[in-house]
Amino acid sequence: ILGLVGCATEPEPEISYDPATLKLDGEQVFATETEFVSQFPNRDSGQPNNRLAAEWLQDEFTTAGLTCTMQEWEVINFSQQLPLNNVVCSLPGESSQEIVVIAHHDQFAGTTQGADNDGSGIAIMLELAKIFAAEGKPAYTLTFLSTDGEEYGMLGSGHFVEMHPNPEQIIAAFSLDNLGKAFYDGVRMSSTGQLRDVGPLWLQRTAQEAARTAGDIWVPAIKPTYEQLLTQAVPISMWDQGPIVAAGVPAIGFGENCPAEYAQECWDTYHSEMDTLEFQSPATLHQSGRIAEALVRQLLVMEQFPQESGPYLYFEESNSVL
């Protein structure tokens, strides 16, 4: 009965950005990632290189023309004080409403380079910041957030939204995580909030159609309906969008899609010493990064943003939502 009375066709997003404006280059992203993870290995939270990595990122964003602050705080982790550092950099727009791009500079303690997780996201985010800063004042304020403590439960993104003076001004946010391995054949999206709520469908559909309009990049995948049901019933996020969604802000996460034939390779190089530059691909970074750029460019030309409430189930084959 619910299916009969509750299903409706999901409106097609109106895409109006110019795909010819996409500039992100995978080779440059790979060069930036190489510099970052080579200079700052062992940068798990609380380690000396974690702070040095945050300071380097602040310098890089500032040199590009953004205004940056360092958020510093401590948590008790396994009965010990753990110092954490977020880097928050903004490119002021014509409007104070914000679009937030997120990646994490900390890494899993069992890795040395932490290349894919999350050197890949950091490099994409930094190169996006340089591109948009060189274009002058955007329509909306662009905020680039490098978080700490992601590996301990998205502590950095949670701190950011908790300390934000007005989260209602955030139009949309998205995180970038695990996006560079040569094995990957696409990007998938997560809308899971941390312990509550779900990210909006309109943002996921806008990301899909913005990528499709480009014509030469992967179209990010929405979770299958059964996974939507599971993750909304038990909302435990694994990416930085989780606390943002839980705070009521429209947010999603972009992450890897690993094909079945490379499942073992993907697993062996995740949260292990094998998460190195050896398995990173400029071509994959190019695809993943341009999806993110396409979404930002589309959001920047939009004047109105849909209002949605969850939970929901989206059926992609019929483009309908319950």
Side-chain angles (χ1 to χ4, degrees), residues 14 60 62 71-72 118 123 143 166-167 173 184 191 237-238 242 258:
E14 207 172 298
E60 289 290 308
T62 301
Q71 291 183 328
E72 302 171 274
D118 187 25
T143 297
N166 188 8
Y184 299 156
S191 59
S237 172
M238 298 298 174
C258 184

Side-chain angles (χ1 to χ4, degrees), residues 35 147 180 186 189 223 230 238 246 248 321:
E35 182 178 3
T147 62
M189 294 182 283
K223 286 182 178 179
L230 177 62
M238 298 298 174
V321 61

Side-chain angles (χ1 to χ4, degrees), residues 237-256:
S237 172
M238 298 298 174
W239 297 340
D240 260 330
Q241 92 287 339
I244 311 291
V245 170
V249 174
I252 56 174
F254 291 112
E256 82 290 346

Side-chain angles (χ1 to χ4, degrees), residues 48-204:
N49 264 3
N50 176 280
R51 175 69 185 201
L52 293 174
E55 291 173 350
W56 181 85
L57 286 167
Q58 185 174 27
D59 288 344
E60 289 290 308
F61 280 114
T62 301
T63 300
L66 285 79
T67 302
C68 295
T69 59
M70 184 87 73
Q71 291 183 328
E72 302 171 274
W73 76 106
E74 290 186 345
V75 298
I76 303 300
N77 188 55
F78 296 106
S79 301
Q80 294 188 0
Q81 284 189 319
L82 181 69
L84 298 171
N85 319 275
N86 280 349
V87 181
V88 186
C89 299
S90 291
L91 184 63
E94 299 290 346
S95 167
S96 58
Q97 290 183 285
E98 283 179 85
I99 299 165
V100 182
V101 183
I102 311 164
H104 67 94
H105 57 263
D106 68 307
Q107 67 186 70
F108 181 66
T111 63
T112 298
Q113 284 192 338
D116 202 47
N117 187 13
D118 187 25
S120 62
I122 286 291
I124 290 169
M125 182 173 68
L126 181 54
E127 289 306 313
L128 285 177
K130 292 176 181 178
I131 287 169
F132 285 106
E135 294 180 358
K137 184 174 280 193
Y140 302 107
T141 295
L142 296 178
T143 297
F144 297 89
L145 169 63
S146 180
T147 62
D148 199 356
E150 191 272 352
E151 297 292 350
Y152 290 117
M154 291 75 65
L155 299 181
S157 58
H159 184 78
F160 168 79
V161 75
E162 180 183 345
M163 300 302 294
H164 196 287
N166 188 8
E168 292 183 357
Q169 284 218 298
I170 302 176
I171 294 167
F174 62 86
S175 65
L176 303 167
D177 207 342
N178 296 282
L179 291 168
K181 287 179 191 171
F183 314 130
Y184 299 156
D185 66 351
V187 164
R188 60 192 175 99
M189 294 182 283
S190 174
S191 59
T192 309
Q194 181 62 3
L195 305 181
R196 58 179 236 149
D197 219 338
V198 58
L201 182 57
W202 73 261
L203 188 54
Q204 296 180 78

